[in-house]
Amino acid sequence: MTQETSEHQTLSEEALNEIIQKAKDFFKNEIAPSHVKNTKKLKRLKEFNLNPFLDKYKASFLTGNDDPVSIAKALVYPRVLGTSINTTFGNKLQKFCSEVLEGFASTTSGIDIEFIDKLDGRRKYCQVKAGPNTINKDDVETIKSHFAGVKNLARTNNLNIGLNDLVVGVLYGTPAELSSHYKKINEEYPVIVGQEFWHRLTGVEDFYQRLTDAIGDVATEFDSSKLIEEVIEALAKEIEKTLKPENKETKKTDEELEAKQLSIDM
């Protein structure tokens, strides 16, 4: 493709800025508040499935010791920076599509967005997924079923839709990171991921970088470093109480008394 053609098909700067602003608003109004709320819950030990074989090991691996604060850090950091935020984003994916990508909304059943591919000029019927590891085995057949429905509709209405026009768009990641489930889909339908997805959608090769940089700026408005310190401190106190031998004995005694009382009542 020539540079002239690429520039001709690129979205206007106004349209590009609109996507960026909507993405920032989405993270500010949807993702960040949920992230903060879920982080506050981690003050309670019951939010974790403790593994006595690994928790002290992970604490020592992380900080060099296995005191309660270190154990708390080993529990909190992965949840705050991994599981929690990834789950929140995945759960709100459809809302991301409807709000941030509303200009590409599709009325076709089983299709999230439609857009003119800025690299080949063809209309794409796209199912949007969050990241390179966010689908499971069952999703593969569901996606293929949706695309089969579109192909049948195309035949019925005499529409020119080729196999390469039915695509899965993955918002972030790289081709090398795609799971085996995506690779299975890619055997029949193109899976476009990260930079390539946003390039084809907008016509701007570095738009993915621009977008992620802009979203990163939102985080500066939600500096939760103090909150995380408070969560770790509160959790550490609970861990310390749980780990104290005398507390374990007291708990055991309480349980024995409770069982004894229960037998008397019966």
Side-chain angles (χ1 to χ4, degrees):
M1 175 173 293
T2 64
Q3 182 66 26
E4 289 75 20
T5 304
S6 177
E7 289 178 351
H8 177 70
Q9 294 184 341
T10 298
L11 293 182
S12 68
E13 194 63 28
E14 181 181 359
L16 296 172
N17 288 334
E18 184 177 0
I19 292 174
I20 289 174
Q21 187 57 52
K22 286 181 177 178
K24 291 177 71 172
D25 291 341
F26 176 80
F27 270 77
K28 186 183 300 183
N29 299 327
E30 297 290 336
I31 301 299
S34 293
H35 197 194
V36 170
K37 180 181 177 182
N38 290 334
T39 298
K40 289 179 178 178
K41 293 179 181 178
L42 302 181
K43 292 180 179 180
R44 301 187 295 261
L45 193 55
K46 67 178 183 179
E47 294 294 326
F48 300 91
N49 295 318
L50 295 181
N51 185 332
F53 290 101
L54 291 180
D55 291 328
K56 287 190 175 184
Y57 167 82
K58 289 188 290 187
S60 296
F61 194 84
L62 176 66
T63 68
N65 64 72
D66 62 358
D67 62 24
V69 172
S70 296
I71 295 174
K73 288 179 179 178
L75 292 172
V76 169
Y77 289 159
R79 186 73 69 85
V80 170
L81 300 177
T83 309
S84 176
I85 186 67
N86 289 334
T87 300
T88 298
F89 185 55
N91 290 341
K92 293 179 178 290
L93 181 62
Q94 290 304 315
K95 196 164 188 177
F96 180 91
C97 289
S98 64
E99 293 186 3
V100 179
L101 302 178
E102 63 175 340
F104 306 97
S106 174
T107 58
T108 304
S109 177
I111 298 299
D112 296 313
I113 62 172
E114 296 178 25
F115 63 95
I116 302 301
D117 191 318
K118 302 305 182 292
L119 299 188
D120 66 17
R122 300 274 301 179
R123 175 171 289 275
K124 303 299 184 188
Y125 298 79
C126 179
Q127 291 194 42
V128 178
K129 301 300 176 184
N133 290 288
T134 53
I135 64 170
N136 56 43
K137 183 179 179 180
D138 293 336
D139 293 327
V140 174
E141 293 307 316
T142 300
I143 291 169
K144 289 183 177 181
S145 176
H146 285 317
F147 284 154
V150 176
K151 286 192 291 185
N152 291 334
L153 183 65
R155 281 194 292 268
T156 302
N157 295 284
N158 198 29
L159 299 175
N160 179 22
I161 300 178
L163 289 179
N164 288 336
D165 298 329
L166 301 169
V167 303
V168 175
V170 185
L171 297 183
Y172 66 87
T174 66
E177 296 171 332
L178 289 174
S179 69
S180 59
H181 302 308
Y182 280 115
K183 291 175 182 177
K184 190 70 176 176
I185 296 170
N186 198 51
E187 292 174 1
E188 296 182 50
Y189 304 102
V191 176
I192 52 178
V193 53
Q195 182 177 351
E196 182 185 1
F197 169 73
W198 293 102
H199 188 188
R200 289 181 177 275
L201 186 75
T202 66
V204 178
E205 190 170 3
D206 69 344
F207 185 75
Y208 179 55
Q209 186 68 45
R210 289 173 57 180
L211 182 62
T212 53
D213 285 348
I215 291 172
D217 291 341
V218 175
T220 61
E221 301 177 31
F222 291 86
D223 180 0
S224 296
S225 55
K226 289 183 179 179
L227 170 61
I228 293 174
E229 287 179 9
E230 292 172 3
V231 168
I232 289 173
E233 183 179 347
L235 182 62
K237 289 180 180 178
E238 192 168 341
I239 290 172
E240 185 175 19
K241 291 178 182 178
T242 303
L243 293 180
K244 280 184 177 180
E246 61 267 27
N247 288 335
K248 291 183 179 180
E249 290 300 321
T250 300
K251 183 178 180 182
K252 182 179 179 181
T253 302
D254 289 342
E255 289 173 348
E256 291 173 345
L257 289 173
E258 184 178 346
K260 185 176 181 180
Q261 184 62 47
L262 184 62
S263 65
I264 295 173
D265 294 339
M266 293 175 65

